[in-house]
Amino acid sequence: MSKVLVFGHQNPDTDAIGAAIAFANLQQALEVEAEAVALGTPSEETQFALDHFGLKAPRVIERVKPETDAVMLVDHNEFQQSVADIAEVNILAVVDHHRIANFETANPLFYRAEPVGCTSTIIYKMYQEYDVEIPEAIAGIMLSAIISDTLLFKSPTCTPEDVKAAKKLAAIAKTDLESYGLEMLKAGTNLGDKSAMELLDLDAKSFPMADKTVRIAQVNTVDLADVFNRQSELEAAMVAENAAKGYDLFLLIATDILDSNSELLAIGAPIDVVETAFATSLTNNRAFLPGVVSRKKQVVPQLTVAFEG
Ligand code: MN
Ligand code: MN
C-alpha cells in the first residue's frame, strides 16, 4: 500500500490535529505507513497542548495528489471541509463524530461514526479494541482534544464515554485534568493580537443550507466584551468575506467558556431564518444565546431546520 495521509478538517481545532496524530499512530502500530498531516496551522490552544506534551505540529498540506492517493479522514467527512482535491483520492477510512453530508466514495471504506463529544474518544476505544498501548504524549493530545471539544465536559455534546476516556487518558498522560484543562482552554482565548479576519478564520466552517452557503465561525473567550468591543471591525471583515467567498450568511458565535453562554453576530441574509432558528430577534446584528456552546448541536441543526422550513 502506498503512503496514507491522515488529517482532520480545514481550520483545524485540537481534535482535528490530535485525532490525526492519534489515528496515524494507531495505523502505524497496525503496520500501515501512515502520516498525520493538517489542513492548517495549529491554533494557540492546540499549540499549547502540543508544546505541553512535547509533540510537533503536523506538516501542513494543501493537496494530496502530489504525494499519494490514499487518505484517512478524522473529525470530518464533508468534502467542503476537507482537502481541496478530496474528490480525486481514495478515502480508506473515516473516524468522525459529525453529521454525514456531502460525502461519497468510489470504493468501499472503513467508516466509524459515533455520536460522542470528540473523535479522540472514538480513537481511544479503537486503541482498546486493537489492544495497542497509547504513548504518554499521544494520550496527552487526545485528552486535550476531548477537553477542547467538550469545553471541559460542559458542552451538551459531551457523553459519559468522553468523560471516561478523558479520565483514562489523563492517567496515562500523568496530567491533572481540571487544572490542565482550564489552562489549555484559556490559551485559546487570547484574541487581542489577532486581526478581525484572523479571528473569524480561527474555527470556521461552511455549511450548505437550502440553496445558501452559511459560514459559521466560533471563538472562545473568558469575556464576551473582548469580542464585541471590536464589532464594527468584525462586521466589516464578515461583509468582505461574504463578498470574496460567496457566503450568503456569516455567523460568528462568541462563546464564554466560563459561563457557558454565547453571543451571536450575524451578517448577510436571510436574517429572519436566523431569528427563527434561535427563537430570538437580532438587535444591532446581535443576539444573546443562553446556554449555547456547541455549534454542532445547538447551532447547525436549528439553522438547518429553519432553512428547510
Ligand atoms: Mn473539529
Ligand atoms: Mn471533534
Side-chain angles (χ1 to χ4, degrees):
M1 198 197 296
S2 60
K3 179 173 75 170
V4 178
L5 295 180
V6 181
F7 50 87
H9 50 81
Q10 296 171 19
N11 298 358
D13 53 18
T14 303
D15 192 29
I17 289 194
I21 291 172
F23 196 56
N25 182 77
L26 176 63
Q27 291 300 324
Q28 288 158 14
L30 301 173
E31 295 181 354
V32 174
E33 195 196 325
E35 180 191 358
V37 292
L39 305 185
T41 52
S43 68
E44 282 184 54
E45 177 197 280
T46 308
Q47 192 61 54
F48 176 91
L50 291 166
D51 291 344
H52 187 91
F53 294 105
L55 292 168
K56 277 207 171 67
R59 160 172 88 81
V60 175
I61 62 157
E62 277 173 11
R63 307 186 78 82
V64 170
K65 268 291 211 195
E67 299 187 51
T68 181
D69 63 357
V71 300
M72 296 182 177
L73 309 185
V74 293
D75 199 39
H76 75 295
N77 66 82
E78 300 190 44
F79 278 14
Q80 77 277 8
Q81 297 170 7
S82 197
V83 76
D85 57 353
I86 188 67
E88 299 160 42
V89 297
N90 196 11
I91 303 170
L92 303 182
V94 178
V95 183
D96 189 23
H97 68 132
H98 294 87
R99 71 173 194 178
I100 301 172
N102 313 305
F103 179 85
E104 61 177 25
T105 60
N107 296 305
L109 77 160
F110 176 95
Y111 199 116
R112 180 141 173 187
E114 293 188 32
V116 293
C118 183
T119 303
S120 293
T121 298
I122 307 170
I123 295 173
Y124 168 78
K125 296 201 293 184
M126 295 179 73
Y127 270 91
Q128 311 303 305
E129 291 158 12
Y130 287 106
D131 197 19
V132 172
E133 204 173 313
I134 307 177
E136 195 173 315
I138 289 181
I141 198 70
M142 293 168 79
L143 167 68
S144 304
I146 297 174
I147 291 166
S148 173
D149 268 12
T150 67
L151 281 178
L152 249 178
F153 311 143
K154 285 194 287 188
S155 169
T157 57
C158 186
T159 69
E161 291 193 71
D162 299 296
V163 178
K164 185 179 162 193
K167 287 181 175 165
K168 299 272 191 197
L169 290 163
I172 298 169
K174 302 187 180 79
T175 299
D176 182 82
L177 206 161
E178 292 288 332
S179 63
Y180 169 73
L182 200 55
E183 211 185 337
M184 187 203 79
L185 289 175
K186 280 186 175 164
T189 65
N190 173 27
L191 307 174
D193 60 346
K194 294 186 178 63
S195 71
M197 203 69 96
E198 284 169 338
L199 197 149
L200 292 174
D201 207 40
L202 279 179
D203 176 10
K205 293 179 180 176
S206 299
F207 299 89
M209 293 189 187
D211 59 344
K212 307 289 187 201
T213 300
V214 183
R215 183 74 165 173
I216 309 177
Q218 186 170 25
V219 294
N220 288 343
T221 181
V222 289
D223 185 359
L224 290 171
D226 284 350
V227 177
F228 288 96
N229 284 341
R230 303 173 64 184
Q231 183 174 348
S232 57
E233 186 196 347
L234 287 164
E235 287 183 355
M238 291 159 85
V239 168
E241 281 285 272
N242 284 354
K245 309 273 172 60
Y247 308 138
D248 298 286
L249 178 65
F250 201 126
L251 304 183
L252 173 64
I253 314 283
T255 299
D256 184 328
I257 59 168
L258 302 180
D259 293 348
S260 302
N261 295 311
S262 291
E263 185 142 8
L264 167 74
L265 178 62
I267 296 293
I271 291 297
D272 60 317
V273 173
V274 178
E275 294 183 323
T276 303
F278 301 110
T280 186
S281 47
L282 266 63
T283 306
N284 185 22
N285 301 327
R286 288 161 62 173
F288 188 66
L289 305 177
V292 170
V293 297
S294 168
R295 173 173 50 201
K296 177 167 54 179
K297 206 154 181 168
Q298 296 171 296
V299 176
V300 172
Q302 290 73 3
L303 273 172
T304 303
V305 167
F307 266 96
E308 283 164 2

